[in-house]
Amino acid sequence: MRRSRFARAVGSSNEAPDRASISEALWFDIRSADSPGDDALSATRVAALDHCAVLLGFTHLVAWIASLVFHRDSATTLAFSNPLVPLSGLLLLDVAAMVGIRCRDGLGLRPHHVVQALCLYFAMAGTLWIFAGSAMAAQSHAGHPSMPILVLGGGVMIAALVAVTSPPLSAVNLVMIAIGAMAMAQSPVAAAGAALLSLMTLAYSIAGARTMIAAGRQRQNLDAEARKALTFVDEFENSGRGWFWETNAEGTLSYVSQQLADDFECDPKALLGRQFTDLLSVETEAERAVEQHKTLGFHLSARFPFADVVVRAASDRDIHWSLSGNPVFDERGRFLGFRGIGTDLTEQRRSEQEISRLARFDSLTGLPNRALMRKTLDEALRNAARRQKGCALFLIDLDRFKNVNDTHGHPVGDALLRQVAERLKSVMGDHGQVGRLGGDEFMAVLPGNVDVGMLESLARTLIEQVSRPYTIEGHRVSIGASVGIAIGDPGRSCADSLVRNSDLALYAAKAAGRGKHCFYEAAMHSEASDRSVLENDLRQAIDRGELHVAYQPIVLAAGEELSGFEALVRWNHPVRGSISPALFIPLAEECGMIGRIGSWVLDTALAEAAQWPDTVRIAVNLSPIQFNDPTIANTVAELLKKNGVRAERLELEITEGVFLAEGDATDETFSRLKEIGVRLALDDFGTGYSSLGYLKKAPFDKIKIDQSFVRGAASVTSRNSAIIRAIVTLADSLKMDTTAEGVETHDDLHLVRELGCSQIQGYIFGRAVDGEAARAMIHEATVDPNGFQCVREARHRLMRRAIALIEGETREVKLRNISAMGALVECTRPVSPDTQITLDIVGVGPVVGTVRWAHKDRFGLQFTEFFPLSRLAPKKQKRNDAMMMRPYYLDQREAG
Ligand code: C2E
Ligand code: CA
Ligand code: CA
């Protein structure tokens, strides 16, 4: 069916008749061909006449020799009565004809020209032959009458024989014989007989030419069709859409395309004769493919047609074909084999695989994506249940990645993610599978690993490696990573809960200051819901007026004059009361509210500062996220203008966090702010990274030495004074101011003054207060230090009655808190500092001390001698009650 359609397609439109017409047969050889096909056909016909001159020449030579032998006496006579003369002429003519035929191509003769020339040759040869015949006949009277008849007859026969292949030659021959017969034959009957015989040869020649021309044309048509078919096959096979195949009855290949051979990297001939089924592979991973292979085997042996059967080639490469085939039978119903087409599915399958790969892998990093990681986790948990082993899950989040994206652009961000993926993979190694969930979140599934020590060290290495600086397109970028870890119990954990737990753990890790790892704990659940409630509340805090700004004085170290205030935001939550900025600022940074809150604080603080004398400065904290916002300089300029505050009065406090997204944008912001004229302070100095390098690069006016160095620096055991000294020296050399933060005691105050800090900020000069109180302070111009002499022992809150002996007078007092060094006492009678007092605590006995400070009905008493707290009723010690200062707000919260 396919074959016949194909045959029709290649077209045998000009179907040739079985015979050519008589006139065509007569003229075909001497007429110029009117089609290339006829031209080719004429050429083959002329080829049949190639040796005619040789044959005739040979005949003429025999006649010449015979003539020489039998008529030797007349050999020297140069006249036509001598047969040797026309015979010699004939021989010359033959040679000329032979040369002509030989060199016809060189002479540019077309086939019909050759036949035309041959006709002339036959005519001339005939004429000469008649002369020769007549001469021989004349001489033959002498002795051998049969001899010339024999030679002449033989010559005529040979000529007729040669001419029979071409009707025009036959016709010329006929004419020559007729003339010859008339000239020589004594009886008209003999002449008529000769002419009749020749006429029959002509008729025979025409009949032969008719079939031959027709057959030639038919063969040409078939050849053309075959060539066309081959071209189609070639074009189809070369188009890459498929190839043909054919087997014989035994199932061995009888046609092999180049494409099929290419799949086996061999020559098509090498595959000929091989069993077709040998080329197909049965080793295949897919059940479906095995099925298909069986189907094909069945169809081949049952001699059934088949279509689109997918099989895998038995080649080293992963090649798949779709095969269709039809059994071929001859007209008697005998099976000849199979013929069909094959299509290469390899590319198609590859693109299918690519699509499925894209669906499972992250295109940026090549790591498994969320969907595949989920599968991996499910599988790991199933395995864990079966093998009674655990399974751990790491959730990894990059810290400050958004900064990089914002400041350097997405291409750098993408390159960074790729490098991060590489590092994660190399750290994770065989421990587990890393994947990317999207954005800057990664996940790792660690099957069978529940050893906490191992997980901990792995998490630490992971964070360390990710936090090493990256160089991307000439930028040096640093980021960090936080890791949340959840461990699944064999058989009991489900993937969802494990993911949620690791998410909570990650959140805790971030809250713990980033760059940390955290294991999941049950308590995190309530914290998480707390956090989302808080986040929601914070969104509305500005609009509801729950935020306000408090101002903490900063004092000049030399004369205790007020230098300015630091604006510190406060949140008064309607239900939870006051919430520390240390808690809600990171939350605001995380949920994208810091920009709004930050601008609001700046605006509020500037509005407040506008009411102060022009000499009093205002310091405002800028989060790194705010700083890296390209519009920050404009915002600052606008707010300064709006509130009418001189730029020199504004000091922006930034931390080293801004340098983590270091780049042109950071430098640009620095210079824009400097252009505006605001002062810049480096906050929390000493807690960050490689601060010294940053200090030299950025145009800071001030360094704020972090509280952790300042507090307790005066204690003999502390080595912080050396650090403070170094910082002050450095700042002096860079012509920068220094502010010691968190100064609480007189000892520390004394020390930082000694060390040369130019400004001081801390509770000793006052906590952050509202605007009104700040204005009152400004009015005073100087601020008096007010605090303990030195760092106190941890205090215990208590409510105890005691009898106090104050300047000889006894009073009932209440103890609010107590430590080994002193106590906070509530007393209705005012006392002045430095008064000696003896306390008689109920159930403990007398303790002596000096009043260090007094305010309203309270005073602080410093014991003269160490007071062992064990003398009080036993009280549960808190784990973290070591030598430390508790932040004010904690005390306040606990008290509330
Ligand atoms: P910071 O910028 O280092 O601010 C100083 C913090 O130390 C303030 O805590 C202040 O009340 C406290 N402090 C000052 N003197 C003493 C002292 O003698 N002893 C002790 N124990 N603490 C002292 P606060 O107000 O809780 O703020 C905490 C942090 O929250 C700030 O640290 C700052 O990083 C951030 N913050 C506060 N307000 C803002 C703001 O408006 N914007 C931004 N971006 N961050 C803010
Ligand atoms: Ca600050
Ligand atoms: Ca600070």
Side-chain angles (χ1 to χ4, degrees):
M1 165 71 171
R2 190 188 294 274
R3 175 71 193 93
S4 62
R5 212 191 302 144
F6 187 67
R8 271 209 303 283
V10 298
S12 45
S13 49
N14 47 347
E15 209 89 22
D18 288 346
R19 278 157 176 275
S21 68
I22 295 174
S23 74
E24 192 168 28
L26 204 53
W27 296 113
F28 186 86
D29 289 343
I30 48 170
R31 206 180 51 193
S32 150
D34 44 31
S35 71
D38 280 357
D39 202 34
L41 191 57
S42 315
T44 45
R45 287 180 59 76
V46 168
L49 296 167
D50 268 1
H51 305 294
C52 66
V54 179
L55 203 61
L56 288 179
F58 184 71
T59 316
H60 300 153
L61 186 64
V62 171
W64 191 83
I65 293 168
S67 185
L68 191 67
V69 171
F70 293 110
H71 309 286
R72 209 173 302 138
D73 44 336
S74 59
T76 50
T77 321
L78 257 180
F80 267 90
S81 55
N82 179 2
L84 280 179
V85 174
L87 282 175
S88 298
L90 266 175
L91 285 177
L92 284 175
L93 189 64
D94 292 334
V95 171
M98 275 186 252
V99 171
I101 291 173
R102 251 287 88 175
C103 308
R104 61 175 185 259
D105 291 339
L107 296 170
L109 295 176
R110 314 277 312 135
H112 64 278
H113 291 145
V114 176
V115 182
Q116 286 168 0
L118 285 176
C119 289
L120 187 66
Y121 163 59
F122 267 59
M124 286 165 72
T127 313
L128 287 173
W129 193 246
I130 294 167
F131 279 116
S134 306
M136 276 193 273
Q139 287 181 352
S140 66
H141 302 294
H144 313 282
S146 56
M147 192 49 219
I149 307 290
L150 209 70
V151 171
L152 273 174
V156 169
M157 230 174 69
I158 297 286
L161 203 74
V162 168
V164 84
T165 43
S166 178
L169 284 187
S170 257
V172 172
N173 213 34
L174 165 71
V175 173
M176 295 322 295
I177 286 173
I179 296 171
M182 275 190 286
M184 287 194 296
Q186 283 83 358
S187 84
V189 181
L196 190 69
L197 268 173
S198 305
L199 206 59
M200 280 168 64
T201 354
L202 175 62
Y204 179 74
S205 172
I206 289 175
R210 286 179 72 187
T211 40
M212 211 197 131
I213 291 169
R217 281 177 174 158
Q218 276 172 358
R219 204 178 42 248
Q220 272 182 347
N221 281 346
L222 284 178
D223 282 356
E225 277 180 22
R227 269 197 306 277
K228 229 191 267 183
L230 276 177
T231 316
F232 281 129
V233 169
D234 262 8
E235 276 174 7
F236 175 70
E237 291 189 336
N238 288 328
S239 72
R241 264 168 302 189
W243 33 266
F244 293 99
W245 58 273
E246 187 188 56
T247 63
N248 60 18
E250 283 75 48
T252 61
L253 282 165
S254 49
Y255 170 79
V256 176
S257 70
Q258 185 60 50
Q259 288 68 20
L260 178 63
D262 285 350
D263 284 351
F264 291 92
E265 290 167 337
C266 68
D267 193 77
K269 285 193 196 105
L271 295 179
L272 278 176
R274 289 215 10 214
Q275 278 288 325
F276 184 43
T277 45
D278 285 358
L279 306 188
L280 313 176
S281 166
V282 265
E283 300 158 34
T284 158
E285 66 304 344
E287 263 172 40
R288 184 172 145 249
V290 175
E291 270 317 302
Q292 298 254 317
H293 192 269
K294 275 193 208 153
T295 313
L296 181 65
F298 166 75
H299 278 80
L300 288 175
S301 56
R303 297 170 184 177
F304 282 174
F306 55 87
D308 304 326
V309 178
V310 178
V311 289
R312 185 178 184 276
S315 145
D316 295 340
R317 294 180 296 150
D318 189 28
I319 295 172
H320 289 81
W321 299 321
S322 162
L323 295 178
S324 302
N326 280 312
V328 184
F329 300 94
D330 68 8
E331 56 282 0
R332 279 156 61 197
R334 267 181 315 189
F335 174 65
L336 298 179
F338 263 95
R339 200 178 290 145
I341 52 170
T343 327
D344 195 339
L345 293 185
T346 315
E347 268 313 308
Q348 185 190 331
R349 282 178 64 100
R350 215 169 274 156
S351 50
E352 272 171 22
Q353 278 168 359
E354 179 64 12
I355 290 166
S356 109
R357 200 186 69 79
L358 285 178
R360 290 177 303 135
F361 291 87
D362 169 44
S363 55
L364 181 66
T365 59
L367 291 180
N369 64 9
R370 185 185 288 273
L372 183 55
M373 282 313 282
R374 177 54 195 241
K375 256 190 173 168
T376 311
L377 179 61
D378 283 337
E379 217 156 85
L381 285 174
R382 262 201 305 279
N383 251 325
R386 237 197 338 266
R387 292 165 47 207
Q388 282 302 299
K389 282 188 142 189
C391 168
L393 186 66
F394 277 25
L395 210 60
I396 304 148
D397 190 278
L398 305 184
D399 301 333
R400 303 179 301 272
F401 173 72
K402 199 176 164 296
N403 270 355
V404 177
N405 243 354
D406 291 350
T407 40
H408 297 297
H410 288 270
V412 171
D414 287 352
L416 176 62
L417 286 175
R418 274 194 286 267
Q419 291 195 23
V420 168
E422 282 311 310
R423 292 190 190 177
L424 289 177
K425 263 199 301 198
S426 82
V427 172
M428 201 49 71
D430 294 336
H431 292 296
Q433 173 70 60
V434 190
R436 179 174 171 228
L437 302 184
D440 60 349
E441 261 189 35
F442 294 83
M443 178 191 260
V445 175
L446 297 94
N449 282 314
V450 286
D451 174 37
V452 174
M454 198 283 279
L455 294 177
E456 198 153 41
S457 92
L458 199 62
R460 221 172 273 137
T461 319
L462 216 141
I463 293 169
E464 250 169 52
Q465 287 303 312
V466 172
S467 309
R468 279 194 298 120
Y470 300 78
T471 310
I472 299 164
E473 291 174 15
H475 302 281
R476 207 174 136 85
V477 229
S478 295
I479 50 160
S482 307
V483 180
I485 308 168
I487 300 175
D489 284 342
R492 264 187 290 163
S493 307
C494 76
D496 279 331
S497 70
L498 212 57
V499 171
R500 200 176 49 241
N501 292 352
S502 60
D503 194 35
L504 290 174
L506 174 64
Y507 211 95
K510 283 182 172 182
R514 290 151 195 266
K516 303 244 162 60
H517 68 273
C518 230
F519 282 88
Y520 165 75
E521 285 164 25
M524 288 174 182
H525 270 292
S526 55
E527 280 172 28
S529 51
D530 268 17
R531 197 175 49 227
S532 65
V533 171
L534 203 64
E535 193 181 306
N536 249 340
D537 290 350
L538 185 57
R539 283 186 196 284
Q540 296 154 7
I542 297 185
D543 300 333
R544 289 191 191 154
E546 290 167 13
L547 295 184
H548 69 273
V549 180
Y551 305 89
Q552 185 178 28
I554 301 171
V555 171
L556 291 179
E560 295 178 1
E561 271 163 71
L562 190 68
S563 150
F565 290 89
E566 177 176 1
L568 294 161
V569 66
R570 296 284 173 264
W571 181 14
N572 211 342
H573 192 276
V575 182
R576 301 181 190 214
S578 131
I579 295 176
S580 162
L583 204 87
F584 72 84
I585 291 292
L587 189 69
E589 284 174 343
E590 223 154 80
C591 55
M593 283 185 276
I594 191 65
R596 202 169 149 233
I597 293 181
S599 308
W600 178 84
V601 171
L602 185 61
D603 192 19
T604 313
L606 286 175
E608 175 63 39
Q611 305 176 44
W612 303 340
D614 193 50
T615 48
V616 181
R617 289 203 177 115
I618 176 79
V620 178
N621 293 284
L622 272 197
S623 144
I625 295 180
Q626 273 177 282
F627 186 85
N628 288 320
D629 180 347
T631 63
I632 185 66
N634 287 345
T635 312
V636 170
E638 272 166 28
L639 291 178
L640 281 169
K641 198 167 161 212
K642 173 186 163 198
N643 290 293
V645 174
R646 258 193 322 121
E648 292 71 33
R649 286 178 62 201
L650 175 63
E651 193 161 76
L652 295 175
E653 296 193 2
I654 50 185
T655 61
E656 284 156 307
V658 301
F659 298 108
L660 292 172
E662 198 183 354
D664 299 344
T666 320
D667 296 345
E668 167 92 26
T669 304
F670 271 123
S671 57
R672 290 276 337 264
L673 289 174
K674 279 279 99 180
E675 265 169 40
I676 295 170
V678 294
R679 285 169 56 89
L680 295 173
L682 183 56
D683 204 354
D684 301 346
F685 186 77
T687 58
Y689 310 82
S690 48
S691 329
L692 298 177
Y694 296 144
L695 263 188
K696 290 203 181 112
K697 264 163 81 174
F700 287 110
D701 302 286
K702 179 195 261 191
I703 299 172
K704 296 190 81 175
I705 305 169
D706 191 64
Q707 321 191 353
S708 56
F709 292 107
V710 176
R711 208 169 314 131
S715 148
V716 280
T717 56
S718 170
R719 285 188 293 160
N720 285 351
S721 58
I723 297 174
I724 298 174
R725 193 191 307 277
I727 297 174
V728 170
T729 314
L730 179 75
D732 281 349
S733 71
L734 294 170
K735 308 246 176 322
M736 296 177 188
D737 287 341
T738 39
T739 297
E741 286 188 286
V743 177
E744 292 188 6
T745 64
H746 286 275
D747 288 354
D748 288 343
L749 174 63
H750 183 68
L751 178 78
V752 295
R753 264 203 190 122
E754 287 271 282
L755 293 175
C757 287
S758 51
Q759 296 173 6
I760 290 158
Q761 179 181 1
Y763 290 171
I764 193 155
F765 288 115
R767 294 164 192 266
V769 294
D770 62 17
E772 199 180 328
R775 268 168 264 146
M777 264 184 175
I778 293 169
H779 199 64
E780 296 284 320
T782 59
V783 191
D784 292 331
N786 188 353
F788 284 96
Q789 187 60 38
C790 61
V791 176
R792 298 168 299 171
E793 287 278 292
R795 286 166 293 173
H796 290 279
R797 244 173 308 115
L798 78 173
M799 281 291 253
R800 280 273 182 110
R801 282 170 195 286
I803 305 295
L805 184 66
I806 307 166
E807 291 170 340
E809 206 179 304
T810 49
R811 281 277 161 149
E812 194 183 291
V813 294
K814 283 178 200 153
L815 294 184
R816 284 301 177 192
N817 67 40
I818 191 163
S819 75
M821 305 294 286
L824 174 63
V825 186
E826 227 174 70
C827 173
T828 44
R829 178 187 178 242
V831 291
S832 43
D834 296 331
T835 318
Q836 274 256 334
I837 289 179
T838 307
L839 273 186
D840 191 356
I841 305 170
V842 182
V844 175
V847 193
V848 183
T850 314
V851 175
R852 281 284 163 228
W853 59 270
H855 187 65
K856 291 186 180 159
D857 59 346
R858 288 186 173 198
F859 65 86
L861 188 70
Q862 188 182 7
F863 299 143
T864 318
E865 275 174 21
F866 184 81
F867 173 73
L869 290 173
S870 53
R871 284 173 64 187
L872 295 163
K875 192 169 182 271
K876 206 172 135 212
Q877 287 273 123
K878 271 197 182 168
R879 211 174 358 115
N880 56 353
D881 275 355
M883 262 279 283
M884 61 175 256
M885 289 291 303
R886 288 167 64 79
Y888 156 71
Y889 53 81
L890 277 186
D891 282 351
Q892 212 183 35
R893 221 192 286 167
E894 280 170 26

